[in-house]
Structure formats: structure tokens, C-alpha cells
């Protein structure tokens, strides 16, 4: 009976989290399309949803960090992930303030919100380095140099691409940088998936791939002048972009929850 109880708790937590994700995504799409509330309440709920999803990821990431003792190797990985997502959570909150104060008009780029988003990538890169170093400790120097090299490419590639298209502006550069940076971290996650055959250790990184898709679509639509037009005319494109962005946070959160369940209950739902 005691064994079944321990198996039931993690299953219940996991199920509840998946149900919450479904409710949030379906609810977001419903409010986006139907606008069931009066005044600006619809826009307020939609904007706050991003900050709430970022808070979920940051909170569970912090819980995973606090599980480990100071001499535990995975602690430094979760420390940097937690810091990165708290910075993103702060940026989402700052963006919400901008959005609300502007009368729910498009927030300009750059803004103070971009500082937290950009800084977050530094901590994600450090987390990637430490995660790989835990698995391949003899290759620390090579891993560090690879992280430096990829970071340089991520910084330079959107600049070169925009200059080649004669479309360089600081706004375009920052928006495309997000997409390339997300992709770089996401590729690291995909490598984990292939290396460990879908092991739970890879799950927290997969949401970055979703972020990359959403950010690229947003940057392209904004540069082409399509996003503002689509937003004003109720086009499905903006709903897809924004819903994908929300889903990325929720996928990350589910990955963090899976890791929390693993370290607290074990593979079969038993506490270690």
C-alpha cells in the first residue's frame, strides 16, 4: 500500500501539470480568438500569461537547484538555469508593464525588458557548458571553446544576414538574435536527446527549440510589416506566433517538473 502511494503521487503531479498546460493553451487560444471579456481585460490576460508561464519555469528550476547540496555536480547547472529564467520572468513582467502602459500597443525594441532576456542567454550558455562537462569531464576545454565559438556565431550571423539583405536595424538584430540564440541552446538539447535516447535530462532544453521557431516567425513578420497588420486584422499568424511562444515556456516547465519528479521520487516513483 505504501509503495502504491509513492507511485501515485508523482503520477498525480505529472497529470495535473499536463492538464494545466492544456487548459492554459486552450484558454489562451479561446481568449485570443473569441475575446470573451469586455474592454482591455482580454489583452491583459493574454500578456500576463507569458509572465506566469515564465514564473512557473523559474520556480521549478529553483526547486531543482535547491534539491542539490553544494557539492553536488548538477547544482551549478540548475543554478544557472534558475537565474536565466528568473531574468526572463522579470523581463516578461517588465514587458507587461510596457504593454499595459502603452494601451496594449506593440512594445518597441529595444526596451528595458530586453536586458533580462539578453542576460539570460549568458546563464543558459554557462548551464550548457556545465551540463556537457558533467557528462564529458575530460573534454572541458573543448566544450568551453565550443560554447565560445557558437556564442560568437550567434552574435555575428544575424548581423551578417541583415546587412546582406540591407535590412539592419537594432530592432531587427535583437529580434533575430533571439531566434539564433534559442536555436543554439535548443540544438544542445537535441544533442542530449540523441545522446541519451530521450532521457529526462534532455527534456528541459527542448522548449528552446520551440522558442526559436516562435522568435524567428515573430522577427520575420515584424520585419516584413506583417505582424502589425495581422494583429489588427485578426489573422491567424499572430495567434500561432504568440501561442507557440507560450507553449515554449510550458514545454520547458514540464521538462523541469519531470526532472523534479525524477530527483524526488526516482524513475519508478520511489524516493531515493
Amino acid at each position: 500500500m505504501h509503495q502504491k502511494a509513492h507511485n501515485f503521487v508523482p503520477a498525480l503531479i505529472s497529470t495535473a501539470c499536463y492538464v494545466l498546460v492544456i487548459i492554459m493553451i486552450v484558454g489562451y487560444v479561446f481568449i485570443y480568438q473569441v475575446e470573451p471579456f469586455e474592454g482591455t481585460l482580454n489583452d491583459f490576460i493574454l500578456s500576463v500569461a507569458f509572465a506566469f508561464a515564465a514564473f512557473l519555469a523559474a520556480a521549478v528550476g529553483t526547486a531543482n537547484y535547491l534539491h542539490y547540496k553544494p557539492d553536488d555536480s548538477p547544482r551549478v547547472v540548475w543554478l544557472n538555469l534558475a537565474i536565466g529564467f528568473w531574468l526572463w520572468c522579470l523581463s516578461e513582467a517588465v514587458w507587461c508593464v510596457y504593454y499595459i502602459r502603452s494601451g496594449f500597443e506593440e512594445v518597441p525594441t529595444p526596451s528595458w525588458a530586453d536586458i533580462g532576456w539578453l542576460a539570460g542567454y549568458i546563464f543558459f550558455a554557462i548551464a550548457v557548458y556545465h551540463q556537457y562537462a558533467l557528462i564529458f569531464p575530460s573534454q572541458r576545454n573543448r566544450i568551453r571553446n565550443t560554447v565560445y565559438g557558437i556564442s560568437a556565431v550567434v552574435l555575428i550571423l544575424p548581423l551578417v544576414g541583415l546587412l546582406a539583405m540591407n535590412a539592419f536595424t537594432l530592432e531587427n538584430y535583437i529580434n533575430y538574435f533571439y531566434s539564433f540564440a534559442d536555436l543554439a541552446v535548443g540544438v544542445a538539447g537535441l544533442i542530449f536527446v540523441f545522446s541519451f535516447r530521450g532521457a529526462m535530462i534532455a527534456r528541459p532544453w527542448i522548449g528552446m527549440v520551440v522558442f526559436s521557431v516562435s522568435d524567428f516567425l515573430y522577427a520575420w513578420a515584424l520585419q516584413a510589416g506583417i505582424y502589425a497588420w495581422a494583429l489588427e486584422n485578426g489573422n491567424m499568424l499572430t495567434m500561432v506566433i504568440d501561442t507557440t511562444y507560450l507553449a515554449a515556456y510550458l514545454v520547458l516547465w514540464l521538462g523541469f517538473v519531470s526532472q523534479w519528479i525524477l530527483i524526488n521520487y526516482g524513475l519508478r516513483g520511489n524516493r531515493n
Side-chain angles (χ1 to χ4, degrees), residues 179 212-222 227 237 240-241 244:
S179 180
S212 179
V213 173
S214 177
D215 284 338
F216 179 81
L217 288 174
Y218 174 75
W220 166 77
L222 203 64
Y227 189 85
L237 176 64
V240 171
I241 294 173
T244 303

Side-chain angles (χ1 to χ4, degrees), residues 248-271:
Y249 271 124
L250 296 176
V251 169
L252 276 161
W253 174 60
L254 287 175
F256 286 179
V257 170
S258 295
Q259 191 69 15
W260 183 88
I261 291 173
L262 175 64
I263 61 181
N264 282 277
Y265 292 94
L267 289 173
R268 298 183 180 276
N270 300 320
R271 288 187 180 275

